[in-house]
Amino acid sequence: MTVDPLSDALAVADARTVFSGGFTAGGDWAIELRGRQRLKVIAVLHGSCLLVREAGGDPLRLAEGDVVVSDGDRPYVLCSRQGVEPTDSDDVTMDPATRMARLGQGEAVDVTCASGHIDLSRDRGDLLRRALPELVHVRADSPEAGVLRWLIGQLVAELRTGRAGVEFVSAQLAQLMFVQVLRICLTDSDGLPPGWLRALADERLAPALRLMHGDPAHPWQLEELARAAAMSRTTFAVRFKEAAGVPPLTYLLNWRMSLAARALRQDSTPVAALARSVGYTSESAFSNAFKRAVGVAPRTYRAEAVARTRPGDG
């Protein structure tokens, strides 16, 4: 089976894209959106609006069919024009039947947006959040946006018809939209910060990434990885660090810890067996490495994960 690092990373991060609703607006309106440490997704289904970032800079014009993914660290405002006092998203009343809110004055519908979030709490959000820029803007007219436009069209149809299962279907469409956004990012890696996604976009580095993802327990050496990338050790090490933000063997260590964290969250595999599966010959060596990387020992991490999933827990 062909190793697919993008699918691996999505699975390990336990990323869950959830369609949370949307709004229609007309006249003068503005709404402040906060990610709350979750990636925020906005799709413009109809019309256009402005996106104004808290950090300042020129406003971003969003057109019909555009999709924006923000990193959740900073709030931003969607509005009809600058200068309108924004409404806090927590103060907006949503129709429970359609999951849509109404903003502005009058009955005219100048813009319709759908929104969702990507929950990264299961792996503390590091794997995906650090790989993406503060804001990803996918324009409707970009060459790779055809699939995204189709997905948005399906989402619009689900919202309008309100058929049985609309919430489940909408969540699946939102998940596919996010994957498509990541694929588009891979075609334009210049805007990506150093991280696994930028490294994956580098065709020269991809063979080495596939080796590490395909057999994380193997004691990979720099020479082997450089040979797979058809580079000298020095050239490979420099290029990899520039793209991934960390040296190759540090990336391998981080990937092993991400795999281990997912296993600790999802099953009851003994820690000693888990240690072997990610390349450690002793449980103590693995436990020390995991604690340095994650901040807590493996057994503590597992106990905390179990406690979070108990019925009635927050």
Side-chain angles (χ1 to χ4, degrees):
M1 182 180 295
T2 302
V3 176
D4 179 4
L6 179 56
S7 294
D8 286 348
L10 288 168
V12 165
D14 284 348
R16 295 293 184 269
T17 306
V18 179
F19 168 72
S20 54
F23 63 86
T24 61
D28 284 340
W29 60 274
I31 182 171
E32 184 181 46
L33 299 170
R34 297 189 299 273
R36 297 182 177 84
Q37 301 304 306
R38 301 179 299 188
L39 298 180
K40 184 75 176 176
V41 183
I42 294 288
V44 182
L45 309 180
H46 162 74
S48 64
C49 60
L50 292 180
L51 185 152
V52 181
R53 282 171 274 203
E54 182 187 49
D58 294 334
L60 183 66
R61 170 64 66 175
L62 302 182
E64 185 170 322
D66 285 10
V67 174
V68 168
V69 179
S70 61
D71 64 7
D73 284 341
R74 302 175 183 86
Y76 60 87
V77 171
L78 292 181
C79 57
S80 56
R81 62 177 178 84
Q82 287 184 282
V84 179
E85 184 66 24
T87 300
D88 191 301
S89 57
D90 289 341
D91 297 331
V92 173
T93 301
M94 189 173 292
D95 185 329
T98 63
R99 306 286 294 276
M100 299 291 284
R102 171 67 189 180
L103 303 174
Q105 307 88 28
E107 298 182 358
V109 177
D110 299 328
V111 62
T112 303
C113 292
S115 67
H117 67 265
I118 301 161
D119 185 4
L120 304 175
S121 61
R122 293 170 178 82
D123 81 323
R124 305 185 182 185
D126 288 343
L127 189 64
L128 281 177
R129 187 178 291 115
R130 289 188 304 189
L132 290 169
E134 175 190 342
L135 194 73
V136 178
H137 178 203
V138 182
R139 300 180 186 276
D141 59 358
S142 62
E144 290 81 17
V147 174
L148 202 52
R149 285 197 299 273
W150 183 87
L151 290 168
I152 292 172
Q154 297 303 303
L155 183 56
V156 172
E158 287 294 325
L159 291 175
R160 287 176 177 167
T161 59
R163 298 169 61 189
V166 61
E167 188 168 339
F168 178 82
V169 172
S170 296
Q172 304 310 306
L173 289 170
Q175 187 87 341
L176 291 172
M177 285 171 59
F178 178 55
V179 174
Q180 188 62 19
V181 167
L182 293 180
R183 286 174 168 173
I184 291 171
C185 287
L186 288 174
T187 67
D188 184 21
S189 59
D190 291 342
L192 294 172
W196 66 265
L197 195 59
R198 183 169 164 184
L200 180 58
D202 189 327
E203 294 182 358
R204 294 287 303 278
L205 299 176
L209 281 174
R210 286 193 289 268
L211 286 180
M212 289 185 277
H213 281 247
D215 189 2
H218 182 81
W220 294 108
Q221 299 297 313
L222 189 60
E223 293 88 346
E224 294 176 279
L225 299 172
R227 190 162 53 247
M231 300 182 203
S232 70
R233 280 183 44 172
T234 301
T235 301
F236 172 73
V238 170
R239 183 163 178 156
F240 193 100
K241 186 173 182 179
E242 288 176 350
V246 293
L249 298 184
T250 301
Y251 176 93
L252 176 61
L253 170 65
N254 293 341
W255 178 242
R256 287 169 168 170
M257 295 303 105
S258 294
L259 289 172
R262 177 179 61 170
L264 289 166
R265 293 191 302 269
Q266 293 184 345
D267 61 49
S268 57
T269 302
V271 174
L274 180 56
R276 291 191 294 272
S277 73
V278 291
Y280 288 83
T281 56
S282 74
E283 180 178 339
S284 61
F286 165 70
S287 295
N288 289 334
F290 188 89
K291 187 172 184 178
R292 283 194 301 270
V294 179
V296 296
R299 297 180 192 280
T300 303
Y301 183 91
R302 171 172 277 163
E304 291 176 350
V306 170
R308 285 195 299 269
T309 57
R310 284 173 182 158
D313 285 1

